[in-house]
Structure formats: structure tokens, C-alpha cells
Amino acid sequence: MPWREHPSPYRVWVSEVMLQQTQVATVRPYFDRFMARFPTVQALAEAPLEEVLKLWEGLGYYRRARHLHQAAKLIVTKHHGAIPSDEKALLALPGIGRYTAGAIRSIAFNIPAPILDGNVKRVLARLDDIETPIERAETERQLWARAAELVDPDQPGLFNQALMELGSLVCRPTQPACPHCPVSTFCQAYARGTQAQRPVRVPRKRIPHYQVAAGIVWHRADPDRFLIAQRPAEGMLGGLWEFPGGKQEPGESLPQTLTRELMEELGIQVEVGEKLTVVKHAFSHFRITLHAFHARHRAGEPQPLGVDDWRWVTVEEADAFPMAKTDRAILAKLTDSVKRNT
Ligand code: SF4
């Protein structure tokens, strides 16, 4: 893994943030591109947010990119451009929690700090055969204390990485390879045969599924241009650009949803036309089915009422704006249909 070579505080920090909720294979090309474009904290701090978001496009959980950018600025102004090794100072930076602070301190600074990610939680819950759900605060405290007790004082970074690897390769969520496990002789769950029931989890709630309408609103005077809007900086997918629209309310048809949302968010009246495409996507806490419609702009100059900004763009121009996967899929479909018709 590229971030394991020369594990400087900056490289460890960026890689650990990218690896949150994201698989190693997905992260690798993003990490390489990010390092090539922003090789130092200073380079990241000086870049426009939009460029950071563009490079992050497709990696999801965009708040991570905004926090990285904000934290880089703070590191430059408050810490003279050097990532601090002190836990308190690290935790004061946006997007750095106890896990990321522990990873930076142990891997990059060789400080015996514990870490606790999903893999480590599973290993420790099995080693100690913990019967309380791992989501509970008291279990989490117990696991942090155990991780702190175990961490190797001489090679903390190596130890923490080994513990994570043990979780990902041997002590897997299902079918852990106990007969080949190097710590099986200390494992209480293995001794008692309870490893399949550990860790204990709180049952998950049903994930809601929303129907969403989005509009490709065509300019009245310039038939090559359509409207895109920038989502509010704070909140989900903040700062990304999208085909404007929103969630269907009870009793509404999808064209009614789109008409209402465009009036609320941009103050414009439209006439909804044909459906271009349907895109499905699962976020961490809900799923959406996104219906994209062509629409004609009828009245009202766009205003940033529920969005941060807006632009009339061509398909080629739209390509340069950072967008979430769903909007990128709509744009790809739109680009195809525009090409077919020219
Ligand atoms: Fe996990 Fe099995 Fe090893 Fe215990 S013995 S730590 S359950 S792989």
C-alpha cells in the first residue's frame, strides 16, 4: 500500500481519512492522485476547496474532504505547517477523531497510542469474549482500554497495523480462520466456541428508501445550457454540484415534487418534460431512487434560496464541476443523448 511507504504524518493522515468507510483497492488511486496534486499540507491548504472536492469525486463521504481541507489550513496557521503529535492538538482538528489521532501518533510518530477501528474491535471483542454490544459506550471504553493495554511500547505503529491486518485477513467477520490464528491460544471466544456470535451488535434499523426527482432545466434562450446548483456547504454532499431537485413528499407525483423543489430552492417555475434516466444509490443510512427529468424554464431568475450557487452550463462545462456519483451518472446519460442528437 503506497501510504505504508514513507509513513510521514501527512501521508498517514490522508490515507487514514480516505480509508474510513472505504476499501483499500478503491482508495489506492485516489491516494496517489491526491499526493501528486497536494504533496504537502501547505499545498492542500492553499488549494481551492472545489479542486479538493473534484479530486475526491467518487470516493463518497465528502465531509471528509472538507474537513481535510479545513484542518490543513489550521495546521498551517496554528502549527506552522507541521502536523502535531500531541493527542489534544490532533483531536482539535476537524475530522480527526480518536482513531485517526491514534493512527497518526503510532504509525508516523512511533508513540504508543492505541487505535480502535472495526477490525480491531472485532478482534478484541473475540479475544475477551465480550458479551455486551460493541456499539454501547461502556463497551467502547472497555475496548479502548484493552487496546491501550496491549499496544507495543517499542513498535506501536507496527503493532497497530498488525492488529488491523489480523482483523481483516484472519479474524474476519464471518468464518474467522481460528486454527491458523497467531493469537488463538489467548482467545476466549475460540476457547468457548462463541466466535461466530462475537462481536455482539445492536440489531440494525430498517434503512429508509426515498424517491427523489431531479431536473435538467434547459435555458429558455440558449438551448445548449442547463442549470446546475451547488449544495449548501454544510450538510450532506456539501459543496458538490447537482441537478437540482429533492425528495418526494406523500401524495405528490414526481413532476410535482420537481416543480415544488425548484421553486423552493431556486425560485424558478418550470414545465416538467420527459424522464431521462433513473439512478439508484445507497448511502450509509438510506437509499434513494433518483428520477431525472428534462424540464423547461418558464419564469423567474434563479436565486440561491436553498442552494449555495447556481450556473447555466453546457454538458462539456458541467464535466469540470465536482459532483456526487448519482449526478455524474445523470450527466453521463445526458452527454450520450446530446451526442446522439447532434
Ligand atoms: Fe479471531 Fe479466531 Fe483468532 Fe480468536 S482465534 S482472534 S476468533 S481468528
Side-chain angles (χ1 to χ4, degrees):
M1 287 178 264
W3 46 88
R4 296 277 198 262
E5 299 149 19
H6 321 295
S8 68
Y10 179 58
R11 288 168 70 86
V12 172
W13 172 41
V14 172
S15 64
E16 289 299 339
V17 171
M18 285 188 171
L19 285 164
Q20 289 163 15
Q21 326 267 356
T22 315
Q23 296 195 337
V24 168
T26 311
V27 165
R28 197 170 293 167
Y30 280 92
F31 179 80
D32 289 339
R33 280 198 296 271
F34 202 90
M35 283 298 145
R37 171 60 192 89
F38 310 120
T40 60
V41 179
Q42 284 80 359
L44 177 58
E46 284 164 14
L49 174 62
E50 199 134 305
E51 201 181 333
V52 180
L53 287 172
K54 184 70 190 157
L55 224 59
W56 203 270
E57 198 182 284
L59 203 51
Y61 302 97
Y62 295 89
R63 182 172 300 202
R64 295 181 297 175
R66 290 199 303 278
H67 281 161
L68 262 181
H69 189 237
Q70 286 166 4
K73 287 177 182 239
L74 285 171
I75 291 166
V76 167
T77 52
K78 287 195 167 171
H79 302 284
H80 310 290
I83 295 171
S85 62
D86 175 65
E87 186 180 27
K88 246 184 156 177
L90 282 169
L91 292 176
L93 295 169
I96 297 192
R98 206 168 162 190
Y99 165 78
T100 310
I104 294 171
R105 295 178 81 223
S106 63
I107 300 170
F109 291 107
N110 212 39
I111 294 169
I115 54 158
L116 197 62
D117 71 347
N119 283 324
V120 177
K121 279 183 187 173
R122 185 171 58 256
V123 173
L124 298 184
R126 285 172 173 168
L127 273 182
D128 290 350
D129 197 28
I130 293 174
E131 292 175 13
T132 50
I134 50 165
E135 294 87 355
R136 277 205 202 145
E138 74 210 55
T139 314
E140 179 131 347
R141 266 196 299 277
Q142 185 182 352
L143 290 170
W144 272 110
R146 189 72 163 118
E149 192 183 284
L150 288 173
V151 66
D152 186 320
D154 299 323
Q155 295 182 299
L158 203 59
F159 176 86
N160 282 339
Q161 291 177 78
L163 202 55
M164 290 191 280
E165 290 292 293
L166 182 70
S168 104
L169 301 175
V170 181
C171 194
R172 298 174 297 238
T174 54
Q175 300 183 330
C178 300
H180 309 290
C181 174
V183 297
S184 60
T185 47
F186 317 113
C187 181
Q188 293 189 40
Y190 185 42
R192 295 174 187 162
T194 54
Q195 61 272 52
Q197 287 95 54
R198 305 288 177 263
V200 174
R201 291 189 179 279
V202 171
R204 284 200 176 187
K205 287 188 197 141
R206 240 182 111 239
I207 293 181
H209 187 161
Y210 303 116
Q211 302 297 317
V212 177
I216 302 129
V217 181
W218 293 99
H219 195 280
R220 274 177 299 180
D222 185 344
D224 292 336
R225 289 184 183 274
F226 56 90
L227 195 61
I228 57 170
Q230 189 177 31
R231 295 177 66 92
E234 292 310 318
M236 218 187 132
L237 306 176
L240 295 185
W241 290 78
E242 66 175 8
F243 292 91
K247 219 191 291 175
Q248 187 178 35
E249 299 284 353
E252 271 181 348
S253 68
L254 286 163
Q256 284 168 341
T257 300
L258 186 56
T259 310
R260 173 182 56 73
E261 288 282 347
L262 291 172
M263 179 50 76
E264 285 172 8
E265 290 189 351
L266 288 142
I268 55 170
Q269 281 176 29
V270 299
E271 182 187 319
V272 179
E274 272 182 23
K275 194 183 276 190
L276 171 75
T277 188
V278 177
V279 183
K280 293 187 175 193
H281 190 66
F283 292 95
S284 54
H285 295 98
F286 62 93
R287 295 171 198 279
I288 61 164
T289 300
L290 177 60
H291 306 259
F293 292 89
H294 289 284
R296 275 179 190 284
H297 181 210
R298 285 289 178 223
E301 268 313 294
Q303 306 158 55
L305 302 176
V307 299
D308 270 9
D309 204 355
W310 54 271
R311 296 265 201 292
W312 292 106
V313 291
T314 63
V315 281
E316 292 80 17
E317 288 165 358
D319 203 38
F321 288 78
M323 289 182 175
K325 260 188 192 164
T326 45
D327 291 273
R328 187 59 63 197
I330 297 172
L331 183 62
K333 191 87 183 172
L334 183 62
T335 307
D336 276 357
S337 90
V338 168
K339 274 185 192 154
R340 270 203 309 273
N341 295 330
T342 49

